[in-house]
Amino acid sequence: MKAVIVPSFGDSDVLRVIDRAEPRPAPGQVLIQVEAAGVGYVDVMARKGDYQPLSEPGFIPGVEAAGTVAAVGEGVDGHWVGQRVFALTGRGAYAESVLAGVRDVVRLPEGVSAAHAVALGVNALVASLGLERASIKKGERVLVRGAGGGIGLMAVQLAALSGCEVTAITSSPERSDRLRDLGVAHVQDRTAGQDGSGNTYDIIVDPVAGADLGRYIEMLRPNGRYLLFGAAGGVPAPDAFGSIMTTYHNSPTLFAFSLNSVDADTVGAAAAELFSQAARGDLRAVIDEQVPLAEAHRAHERLESTPVFGKLTLRP
Ligand SMILES: NC(=O)c1ccc[n+]([C@@H]2O[C@H](COP(=O)([O-])OP(=O)(O)OC[C@H]3O[C@@H](n4cnc5c(N)ncnc54)[C@H](OP(=O)(O)O)[C@@H]3O)[C@@H](O)[C@H]2O)c1
């Protein structure tokens, strides 16, 4: 099979397409013929050697894939063969075939393509399970930073579907228009100096962090919840969290949320619900570009240079 490997840590041009023997499923695993693999910042960090736990050079990146089950290992029901599925793979998805534990595999409903499944994938799971952890309620005011990014695009839609009033922060008039098309009530363009201030929020969804984190924590309403998902804007200064103390009498809650902390059954149930929402047309998968597998290096370059709108997917 064709696969993309990281032969040594470095820039996007280290990525190499190689021929490798198709893996065989171990007990409890399925072999998936990949139709789409997700490209995320986590893969960029793994390629650079910045992601813990560190993979030894020579690994195939890619934490999520969708396609058709081609074979099953010992102890796995044969009915999986031929099923269209999405899977969290841990690594290995940048390939024509990938292994996954059967507990990490979710069946895809009719009407949800492989590319759509990975475009929802990790990003929708993070947004959905994070909002659930923050006990999102109808009628609440939700602010989403990095709204045009992978997690942001899912968070704005899911918060709106929960009946919340959503404010999205993004970085251009074009991205603002596309967010309005997705049903966002209020859009703020940070390149025009709009930053969500002047209002307060029950929930702030933040995949950006960076130097402004403390200022955003101060925008929480009483009993507000802050969902920190990542640091696309850089790691915050240690004193940013001091805002929790200065706003102490509002009883703020800070959730740092990683999908890695959630058990497989909970992830599987959430993924099945998200794919049903997509099949019904309630939740939209947003794909920036479907890139051929052999051009994985270009997908990484794009992710690291210009902001993408939605997901980059790889097509073997
Ligand atoms: N918690 C988890 O389990 C989990 C899972 C996957 C990824 N992550 C992490 O979450 C973060 C975001 O992931 P993603 O896939 O959503 O990334 P992404 O698609 O690159 O989106 C990030 C968005 O943040 C905004 N942004 C970027 N730099 C900024 C800056 N300096 N200041 C303000 N806004 C900025 C941009 O949106 P606009 O242009 O629209 O403003 C950008 O599109 C990453 O750090 C990633 O590693 C966490």
Side-chain angles (χ1 to χ4, degrees):
M1 67 170 187
K2 298 269 184 245
V4 174
I5 61 160
V6 177
S8 56
F9 297 133
D11 294 337
S12 56
D13 57 11
V14 300
L15 294 175
R16 287 278 171 279
V17 181
I18 57 154
D19 281 305
R20 186 173 267 192
E22 194 165 78
R24 291 173 49 156
Q29 289 186 322
V30 301
L31 177 73
I32 300 166
Q33 207 171 354
V34 177
E35 288 159 35
V39 180
Y41 208 75
V42 63
D43 306 329
V44 171
M45 290 168 72
R47 190 203 72 218
K48 290 178 169 171
D50 288 342
Y51 191 77
Q52 296 297 335
L54 200 61
S55 297
E56 287 301 315
F59 69 97
I60 303 173
V63 301
E64 57 188 332
T68 303
V69 174
V72 298
E74 197 184 308
V76 178
D77 196 317
H79 84 272
W80 280 102
V81 175
Q83 300 273 352
R84 294 177 60 252
V85 295
F86 166 84
L88 292 177
T89 55
R91 70 168 88 159
Y94 288 20
E96 289 176 327
S97 300
V98 65
L99 296 172
V102 70
R103 292 187 66 210
D104 298 317
V105 168
V106 181
R107 222 174 262 111
L108 290 179
E110 284 294 315
V112 177
S113 70
H116 281 168
V118 295
L120 295 164
V122 166
N123 291 334
L125 284 164
V126 170
S128 149
L129 289 164
L131 287 169
E132 187 181 309
R133 193 164 287 200
S135 305
I136 188 168
K137 285 187 280 297
K138 188 176 175 181
E140 290 192 312
R141 269 193 230 150
V142 178
L143 176 70
V144 180
R145 300 184 69 196
I151 294 175
L153 280 166
M154 292 300 132
V156 293
Q157 294 188 74
L158 291 166
L161 281 171
S162 296
C164 294
E165 182 184 334
V166 180
T167 301
I169 302 181
T170 191
S171 57
S172 74
E174 190 214 342
R175 288 162 88 81
S176 301
D177 287 345
R178 295 180 73 177
L179 282 158
R180 284 190 198 94
D181 284 348
L182 286 170
V184 175
H186 313 290
V187 183
Q188 303 236 319
D189 182 349
R190 61 186 164 91
T191 61
Q194 298 170 338
D195 62 358
S197 57
N199 211 339
T200 52
Y201 305 92
D202 299 292
I203 295 180
I204 298 181
V205 174
D206 189 358
V208 175
D212 293 336
L213 175 68
R215 205 165 52 79
Y216 280 97
I217 291 174
E218 288 167 10
M219 292 183 201
L220 285 176
R221 302 176 86 181
N223 305 302
R225 288 89 74 204
Y226 202 97
L227 270 170
L228 187 57
F229 284 149
V235 177
D239 65 0
F241 297 100
S243 295
I244 289 284
M245 292 312 292
T246 55
T247 59
Y248 179 83
H249 290 290
N250 280 340
S251 305
T253 303
L254 172 70
F255 293 95
F257 180 80
S258 169
L259 193 57
N260 294 346
S261 68
V262 185
D263 67 85
D265 289 345
T266 305
V267 171
E273 173 58 22
L274 289 163
F275 294 140
S276 300
Q277 285 177 301
R280 288 197 300 270
D282 294 338
L283 180 64
R284 279 181 23 210
V286 184
I287 298 174
D288 183 290
E289 185 185 349
Q290 298 185 47
V291 179
L293 181 68
E295 295 174 30
H297 62 284
R298 188 169 65 74
H300 277 220
E301 267 162 35
R302 285 208 54 206
L303 210 55
E304 289 180 275
S305 51
T306 47
V308 296
F309 191 89
K311 191 85 175 180
L312 293 172
T313 69
L314 289 180
R315 188 166 28 85

